[in-house]
Amino acid sequence: MCGIVAYTGPREAYPVILKGLKRLEYRGYDSAGVALSEEAGIAVHKKKGKVSQLEESLIGKPLNAQSGIGHTRWATHGEPSDRNAHPHRSSNGKLALVHNGIIENFASLKRELVNKGYSFESDTDTEVLLKFIEDIYNHQSESLEEAVRIALRRVVGAYVIILLNEEDPGTLIAARKGSPLVIGIGKGEHFLASDASPIIEYTKEVVYINDYEMAIVKPDELILKNLGNDKVTPFITQLDMELAAIEKGGFEHFMLKEIFEQPTTVFDCLRGRLDAKEGTITMGGVDPHLDKLTNASRIIMLACGTSWHAGLVAEYVFEELCRIPVEVEYASEFRYRNPVVREGDIILAISQSGETADTLVAMDMAKKHGAFLFGVVNVVGSSISRMSNAGAYTHAGPEIGVASTKAFTAQLAVLMMIAIKVAYAKGTIDQKRYLHLIGELDAVPGKIETILESKERIQKTAERYKDARDFLYLGRGYNFPIALEGALKLKEISYIHAEGYPAAEMKHGPIALVEETLPVVFVATKDAYHEKILSNAQEIKARKGKVIAVISEGDDAFAFLADETLPVPAADELIAPLLTVIPLQLLAYYIGNAKGLDVDKPRNLAKSVTVE
Ligand code: F6R
C-alpha cells in the first residue's frame, strides 16, 4: 500500500529512485512522484498514473541531485490526481514528504492548522502531517528532527515517512509506525524503501526499522532513535535474495512467471524440511514448540484474502489429521469484535507480505489475551514474522504480481507439513498414513509441472469464456476453499464477477443464476465427495449452464458430462488443493490477458494492504 523509496549518497538520486519506484509499483500505482535536492532547492515532480507516465513526463529534464525521495501511491485520502500525488511540500517549499499509511486524526490537526492560517493544496492526510511538522519546526523546536518527534507523538494512525529538507539536503529523516521501512547500507550511501527490492542491487546489508523508531540518514551515517530521543543500535541483517528473483525472466507478466515458478517454490518450501526417504519432517521454527501445538485446545487462523483461503484449507486438514478444533478468522473482523481467546489457544497468522495491517493488529490483540503467536509468512524480516513467537517461512521468494499465486501454494505446503507433523506427534494418525502423506507432498512439485504442461488447453478454455459476464466456482471438502480462491483470482485479474460456493449450497440460492451463458467451474477431483459433486454438475447441465471441471486425470464420468475439463494428476484428497488451484490460476491469468488487462497491476488493488 504505497511504495516509498529514497536515496542519499554520491550517485545521481533520480535513476536510483525511479528504478526503485518501478520495483515497488505493485504496492500502488495510481500516481507517482519524486522530490530531488537540486542545487536551486527542492524540485518536486509528480503525476497521476503509473511510474512510467512520470518517467515520460521527465524526459529531457536535468534532475541533478544526490539525494531525493519518491513515492508510488495507492489512494486513501483524496482521489488519484496530480495534486494528491506525493511528495507534498511544506508552505515555505523547503520541506518535502512522502508517506505510506493513514493519519487517522488528520481532520483535527488540519482544523488547528487552518485556524493558524495554513492553506492546503491537496486532500491528503500527508500534507496535513507535513504542515503540522513545519508549524512545530517554525515555532516550537530547535531542529527538524525534534519537530518530527514532537509531531509524531501527536499523530494517531500508521505511517512510514521520509522527509527531505532544503536546508540540509544530504540528510533524510525517516520514521515508522505500522508500515514497513528498510534501510540499505552502502559505502558512503544509504537507500531507503518500503521493501528490499529497490535495494538489493546496491547492497545486501540492511536494517529493518521498528515501530516508533526514527532514522536520521546521511550518506555516511545512520542514526536510529526512538521517539523518546534515545539512540538505538541499528541491527544489520544480510538480505537473502537475488536480483533475478524480482525480474520477469522472459515471462510476459510477473503473475505468469510466478505461476510457472511453483514446482520450484513448493520444492524450496519442502526442501530441508520434508525427507521422504527418511520419512521425517523437520521444521526449525516448529519443532521447539511442538508440544504447544499438540496440546493446543484450539487453533485460530488469522489472515486476509488468499491467505485466508489457505487457512480454510488448513482448517480441514488440521481437524482431519490432528483432531484440534480450528477457527479461521478474517483478521479485519476478529480485531473489531470481542472474540473469545484463551491461554492455550494458538494463533496461526498467515500472510505473504507479513505487513497486512489487519492481521498485525488482530495478532497483537490475541497476544494480549495470552495466545501463542505462530506466523506462516513469506517475507523474511516482515512485521508479522517479527511479532510472532515462532513460525515458519514459506520460502516462495518475492511475489511481485498483485494476485497471489506461488505464495498460496507455499502456504499450503507449510501448513500441511505442520499438520502432518503435529498429527503424528499427537498419535492421531498412524505411521502408515504419516508416511503416505509425506510421499504425497513430496510428489507435488512434479505434479504441478505436469499441470503447467497443459497450459495451451487452459488458454483455449480461457479464450472461449473470456466474455462471460459472471462465473460460479463450486467445490466440496478440501476443494471448497479452492473454489473461493479460483473465483477471487478471476475477479481480481479479469474484473468478471465470480462467486465461489460450497457445491451443495448451490441449491440454496446460486442455482437461480444458472442459464445458458453462465460458466460454472467445478473443482471436482476424485475424493470422498466425488459422486455428490458429479450430481451437482448434472444439476447445472440440466439447466443448460456450461460446466468447466478441474478433474483427476482419467475421470471419464466427469469428462463425459463437462463442456471443458482441466485434468490434474491424481493425489490424496488432502493434498489435492495444491494441484487443483494451478489450472484456476492459469484460467484467471489467460482470461485477464485475453481481455487486454494489466494482470500484474489490476485496478484498485495493491499488493500489501498496510492500511485497514
Ligand atoms: C489476492 C491477494 C490478497 C492477499 C491479502 C492478504 O490475490 O493477494 O487477497 O492475499 O491481501 O495479504 P497477505 O498474505 O500479504 O497478508
Side-chain angles (χ1 to χ4, degrees):
M1 217 103 298
C2 299
I4 57 180
V5 56
Y7 174 77
T8 180
R11 298 174 201 248
E12 281 297 337
Y14 173 66
V16 174
I17 293 170
L18 184 74
K19 206 169 193 188
L21 289 179
K22 286 183 181 165
R23 297 245 165 89
L24 290 177
E25 214 174 1
Y26 69 88
R27 301 177 67 88
Y29 31 82
D30 54 46
S31 55
V34 292
L36 300 167
S37 287
E38 295 184 357
E39 220 165 79
I42 292 179
V44 174
H45 309 278
K46 48 193 196 171
K47 192 133 200 74
K48 181 180 168 188
K50 301 212 164 118
V51 175
S52 56
Q53 284 161 271
L54 172 75
E55 183 182 17
E56 255 169 56
S57 72
L58 294 181
I59 290 172
K61 297 226 162 82
L63 309 171
N64 297 322
Q66 266 69 53
S67 63
I69 55 181
H71 188 271
T72 175
R73 179 168 186 250
W74 187 87
T76 54
H77 288 80
E79 57 166 9
S81 63
D82 289 357
R83 69 188 184 89
N84 285 333
H86 299 213
H88 291 281
R89 289 185 93 121
S90 58
S91 299
N92 63 8
K94 292 190 170 180
L95 304 174
L97 183 78
V98 287
H99 166 220
N100 168 24
I102 290 184
I103 306 301
E104 288 169 16
N105 58 338
F106 87 102
S108 60
L109 296 176
K110 190 169 182 174
R111 264 195 309 276
E112 264 180 48
L113 291 166
V114 169
N115 288 341
K116 287 183 177 174
Y118 284 86
S119 60
F120 292 86
E121 283 161 23
S122 75
D123 309 317
T124 64
D125 51 346
T126 307
E127 191 188 357
V128 174
L129 175 60
L130 175 59
K131 290 184 174 166
F132 186 51
I133 293 171
E134 179 183 21
D135 187 59
I136 295 172
Y137 184 35
N138 287 342
H139 300 106
Q140 288 180 45
S141 69
E142 291 192 347
S143 67
L144 183 60
E145 181 195 322
E146 195 189 333
V148 172
R149 204 167 15 250
I150 295 171
L152 292 182
R153 285 208 213 98
R154 284 227 18 224
V155 157
V156 180
Y159 54 80
V160 160
I161 55 165
I162 309 179
L163 194 61
L164 196 62
N165 180 7
E166 193 168 296
E167 287 164 2
D168 188 3
T171 303
L172 304 168
I173 297 181
R176 137 171 199 165
K177 188 201 148 203
S179 298
L181 178 64
V182 191
I183 300 184
I185 301 168
K187 288 196 174 70
E189 58 185 349
H190 285 103
F191 308 83
L192 294 80
S194 301
D195 73 27
S197 60
I199 297 175
I200 44 170
E201 68 186 275
Y202 307 107
T203 174
K204 292 211 158 180
E205 293 203 330
V206 297
V207 174
Y208 291 95
I209 306 304
N210 291 310
D211 278 350
Y212 303 106
E213 281 179 0
M214 270 178 71
I216 297 95
V217 193
K218 301 172 192 284
D220 48 10
E221 192 180 21
L222 166 63
I223 300 169
L224 273 194
K225 290 184 175 178
N226 59 26
L227 290 189
N229 201 21
D230 306 312
K231 279 203 176 167
V232 177
T233 310
F235 180 69
I236 300 174
T237 44
Q238 291 290 323
L239 282 178
D240 180 20
M241 191 197 278
E242 294 307 324
L243 192 57
I246 54 166
E247 292 183 334
K248 281 193 203 143
F251 282 89
E252 198 181 341
H253 292 103
F254 280 112
M255 183 178 175
L256 192 62
K257 174 189 172 227
E258 286 158 5
I259 292 173
F260 274 81
E261 273 176 351
Q262 290 176 106
T264 312
T265 50
V266 173
F267 179 80
D268 286 346
C269 176
L270 303 177
R271 189 170 45 153
R273 291 167 164 171
L274 181 132
D275 187 333
K277 277 204 196 98
E278 294 293 318
T280 53
I281 298 175
T282 314
M283 300 181 84
V286 179
D287 296 347
H289 309 282
L290 197 57
D291 58 329
K292 285 224 159 49
L293 285 156
T294 52
N295 295 323
S297 50
R298 187 170 57 145
I299 296 174
I300 303 173
M301 314 247 180
L302 293 178
C304 302
T306 287
S307 299
W308 185 79
H309 296 156
L312 279 187
V313 175
E315 174 187 22
Y316 282 52
V317 174
F318 269 83
E319 292 203 341
E320 164 67 21
L321 297 181
C322 312
R323 310 306 299 146
I324 301 171
V326 176
E327 280 163 34
V328 189
E329 297 269 1
Y330 282 120
S332 54
E333 286 297 312
F334 183 86
R335 62 178 283 195
Y336 282 117
R337 56 189 185 82
N338 190 9
V340 178
V341 184
R342 303 183 208 96
E343 262 177 65
D345 284 341
I346 299 276
I347 294 290
L348 228 156
I350 309 165
S351 175
Q352 187 287 125
S353 61
E355 301 293 346
T356 301
D358 284 324
T359 309
L360 261 169
V361 177
M363 287 171 78
D364 192 40
M365 190 172 131
K367 192 175 200 163
K368 289 189 181 119
H369 285 86
F372 186 81
L373 303 184
F374 206 92
V376 173
V377 177
N378 194 37
V379 177
V380 177
S382 56
S383 303
I384 291 179
S385 70
R386 285 183 293 146
M387 183 188 275
S388 302
N389 300 107
Y393 282 118
T394 47
H395 297 311
E399 191 180 64
I400 314 278
V402 166
S404 186
T405 53
K406 64 175 182 171
F408 177 71
T409 43
Q411 287 166 345
L412 291 185
V414 162
L415 291 162
M416 285 176 187
M417 275 193 286
I418 298 173
I420 296 167
K421 191 174 175 64
V422 170
Y424 190 50
K426 237 186 134 182
T428 44
I429 57 171
D430 62 16
Q431 193 189 33
K432 191 168 164 223
R433 189 150 189 221
Y434 172 72
L435 292 177
H436 164 73
L437 289 170
I438 285 184
E440 284 286 301
L441 261 186
D442 190 52
V444 164
K447 290 180 183 176
I448 295 180
E449 197 119 39
T450 308
I451 300 168
L452 294 172
E453 280 161 16
S454 64
K455 68 175 187 205
E456 268 103 19
R457 179 178 183 148
I458 301 168
Q459 191 166 8
K460 280 189 188 132
T461 305
E463 287 289 342
R464 278 193 278 274
Y465 292 94
K466 71 177 177 15
D467 296 319
R469 196 191 56 191
D470 308 284
F471 265 74
L472 207 55
Y473 283 71
L474 302 175
R476 298 180 84 119
Y478 300 103
N479 276 326
F480 155 56
I482 300 305
L484 297 182
E485 175 61 7
L488 178 64
K489 286 291 91 91
L490 188 72
K491 273 184 273 211
E492 287 180 291
I493 298 306
S494 71
Y495 316 148
I496 295 175
H497 168 241
E499 285 194 51
Y501 256 89
E505 274 293 304
M506 173 188 75
K507 291 206 263 304
H508 301 281
I511 199 163
L513 299 172
V514 179
E515 56 183 359
E516 222 168 324
T517 54
L518 182 80
V520 183
V521 179
F522 279 88
V523 194
T525 40
K526 285 227 163 130
D527 55 22
Y529 322 92
H530 190 251
E531 291 303 317
K532 307 262 178 222
I533 201 162
L534 193 58
S535 309
N536 297 139
Q538 255 143 2
E539 288 154 5
I540 297 294
K541 282 307 301 173
R543 286 157 185 84
K544 297 197 164 43
K546 298 284 178 295
V547 170
I548 302 169
V550 177
I551 59 167
S552 303
E553 262 163 18
D555 179 355
D556 294 337
F558 236 109
F560 183 70
L561 178 88
D563 297 277
E564 310 273 340
T565 55
L566 309 174
V568 300
D572 187 289
E573 61 177 6
L574 209 131
I575 306 294
L578 271 160
L579 306 180
T580 51
V581 74
I582 309 288
L584 301 187
Q585 295 170 343
L586 280 172
L587 186 66
Y589 170 80
Y590 284 125
I591 291 180
N593 202 32
K595 289 173 92 77
L597 300 169
D598 186 348
V599 293
D600 278 339
K601 299 189 195 84
R603 70 180 178 208
N604 303 337
L605 291 174
K607 181 85 187 147
S608 85
V609 184
T610 54
V611 295
E612 63 172 283

